[in-house]
Amino acid sequence: MNKLRWGLIGAGDIVRKRIVPALQELDNCELVAVSRGRAELAEAFAGEFGIERWYADWREMLSDDGVDAVYIASPVYFHAEHTIAAAEARKHVLCEKPMAMNVEECDEMIAACAANNVKLGIAYYR
């Protein structure tokens, strides 16, 4: 069975407590990459959870052909930018709530995912 290979954009408390354990428990998923703005924090997070690759720049992770989907856990004001870029890189997206800052950004995110034939989901982990 092919596994869906995930990358993380952002690695805060919710990702640490909820998202990483969930992805690592699923038989059809593999957590392969993490990006975080500070290189030393990205590297430490990757080491803590046995994640193969880490990036200080999320754009580099989106160019990684070994990543099929991304979980976006960045501050909400980045959600639209990250989602649209991920869609353009042909990565499926699961974005934390709230989806974006306004309806226009939401519409742009939906359109980008549809145009690039990737799935878009909004995570409400509770």
Side-chain angles (χ1 to χ4, degrees):
M1 165 176 49
N2 288 337
K3 292 186 177 190
L4 188 63
R5 300 166 299 178
W6 286 87
L8 304 170
I9 297 179
D13 196 44
I14 295 302
V15 171
R16 177 181 304 285
K17 290 181 179 178
R18 303 281 187 220
I19 306 310
V20 170
L23 289 174
Q24 289 181 330
E25 289 177 18
L26 293 169
D27 292 334
N28 60 345
C29 292
E30 183 178 8
L31 181 52
V32 298
V34 60
S35 65
R36 195 166 182 178
R38 291 177 45 197
E40 69 276 10
L41 295 178
E43 182 179 21
F45 192 93
E48 179 180 347
F49 292 103
I51 301 170
E52 297 172 13
R53 297 180 297 284
W54 58 269
Y55 300 90
D57 186 336
W58 57 271
R59 292 168 198 87
E60 289 181 31
M61 189 182 72
L62 292 182
S63 68
D64 183 340
D65 290 334
V67 174
D68 305 312
V70 294
Y71 185 92
I72 297 177
S74 55
V76 66
Y77 52 86
F78 287 125
H79 286 184
E81 178 183 6
H82 292 164
T83 297
I84 292 166
E88 290 172 350
R90 302 280 199 271
K91 312 293 186 200
H92 300 289
V93 176
L94 184 55
C95 181
E96 281 191 358
K97 64 151 184 69
M99 184 173 176
M101 296 296 289
N102 54 55
V103 173
E104 291 78 19
E105 285 184 352
C106 294
D107 288 342
E108 291 171 4
M109 293 163 71
I110 293 166
C113 289
N116 289 286
N117 198 32
V118 296
K119 305 256 185 221
L120 170 62
I122 305 304
Y124 185 74
Y125 68 92
R126 297 185 189 267

